[in-house]
């Protein structure tokens, strides 16, 4: 019997969360794990009824909605991959507490490197924004790094192909472990 697995990819904007989440999903499918879903924070915000703002209060609401959605997907037996900033430690701790098989993957990348690769222009907008209700981890607010994420990938220094391989190998090992329990 397979245990439930959540791969929670977190880091500041443009650190590679979406790319690595999609890459992991594709890699798992290629390895015959077809009951897998990738939930991306930016895409989820476009759903009807999901919070659109970026205040701290809105971000906590999103985490609550996300945890409920993941639990629903897990109840259908899916492996869930999540790509979300979730920059406050307590957000990730809440997810860890509420979800089975939670694995935090932290993408370590400096704000300077992320700003250089930010094709959506979020960093420039954040530097110009004076709205105190809008927070931008890495620019206007600190990203709170967890003490012991299950996996840390240095996406500021290594290329995404290497990070993708490391993440896929880690996940395949965890899935094999869950099958032997």
């Amino acid at each position: 019997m397979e245990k439930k697995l959540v791969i929670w990819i977190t880091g500041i904007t443009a650190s590679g969360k979406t790319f690595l989440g999609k890459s992991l999903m594709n890699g798992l499918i290629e390895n015959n794990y077809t009951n897998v879903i990738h939930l991306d924070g930016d895409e989820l915000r476009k759903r009807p009824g999901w919070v659109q703002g970026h205040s701290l209060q809105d971000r906590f609401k999103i985490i609550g909605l996300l945890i409920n959605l993941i639990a629903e997907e897990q109840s259908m037996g899916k492996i869930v991959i999540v790509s979300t900033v979730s920059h406050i430690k307590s957000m990730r701790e809440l997810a860890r507490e509420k979800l089975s098989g939670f694995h935090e993957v932290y993408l370590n990348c400096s704000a300077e490197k992320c700003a250089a690769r930010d094709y959506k222009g979020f960093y420039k907008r954040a530097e110009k924004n004076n709205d105190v209700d809008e927070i931008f981890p890495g620019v206007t607010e600190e990203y709170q790094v967890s003490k012991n994420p299950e996996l840390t990938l240095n996406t500021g220094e290594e290329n995404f192909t290497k990070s993708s391989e490391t993440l896929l190998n880690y996940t395949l090992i965890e899935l094999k472990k869950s099958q032997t329990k």
Side-chain angles (χ1 to χ4, degrees):
M1 168 111 177
E2 242 177 67
K3 88 172 177 177
K4 298 174 181 181
L5 189 68
V6 176
I7 302 296
W8 188 285
I9 304 170
T10 180
I12 62 175
T13 298
S15 59
K17 296 177 301 297
T18 299
F19 177 87
L20 291 173
K22 287 178 181 178
S23 176
L24 177 58
M25 184 177 71
N26 292 334
L28 289 175
I29 291 169
E30 288 171 10
N31 280 275
N32 299 314
Y33 290 96
T34 56
N35 204 12
V36 60
I37 187 168
H38 176 233
L39 302 174
D40 183 72
D42 286 342
E43 292 303 312
L44 291 172
R45 286 176 169 277
K46 296 175 186 175
R47 287 182 172 200
W50 283 64
V51 180
Q52 298 297 317
H54 289 86
S55 70
L56 193 54
Q57 181 180 7
D58 288 343
R59 288 175 183 268
F60 270 99
K61 285 179 188 174
I62 290 279
I63 292 298
L65 292 169
L66 181 56
I67 289 169
N68 291 338
L69 178 58
I70 293 167
E72 183 180 316
E73 295 292 345
Q74 283 187 315
S75 73
M76 293 184 276
K78 292 187 182 173
I79 299 164
V80 182
I81 302 163
V82 180
S83 301
T84 180
V85 173
S86 55
H87 72 292
I88 304 291
K89 277 192 272 191
S90 62
M91 293 174 173
R92 299 183 304 273
E93 289 166 359
L94 179 63
R96 183 182 298 277
E97 175 187 310
K98 301 251 181 205
L99 300 167
S100 300
F102 183 92
H103 293 259
E104 181 180 338
V105 178
Y106 169 59
L107 305 186
N108 184 6
C109 190
S110 71
E112 294 77 26
K113 288 203 178 201
C114 288
R117 64 167 76 132
D118 177 27
Y119 66 92
K120 293 180 182 177
F122 288 134
Y123 284 86
K124 284 182 183 164
R125 223 172 40 232
E127 288 171 2
K128 293 178 186 175
N129 189 3
N130 293 325
D131 185 353
V132 293
D133 288 335
E134 294 292 320
I135 51 176
F136 191 85
V139 177
T140 63
E141 186 160 302
E142 175 190 7
Y143 178 96
Q144 297 175 358
V145 179
S146 296
K147 287 184 180 174
N148 296 306
E150 281 73 14
L151 181 64
T152 298
L153 298 172
N154 190 344
T155 58
E157 299 301 321
E158 72 182 15
N159 66 47
F160 284 142
T161 301
K162 173 72 174 135
S163 293
S164 292
E165 290 170 2
T166 302
L167 180 56
L168 177 60
N169 289 334
Y170 170 83
T171 305
L172 290 172
I173 289 167
E174 291 304 314
L175 284 166
K176 291 200 186 333
K177 282 183 194 175
S178 72
Q179 292 170 341
T180 59
K181 290 183 178 178

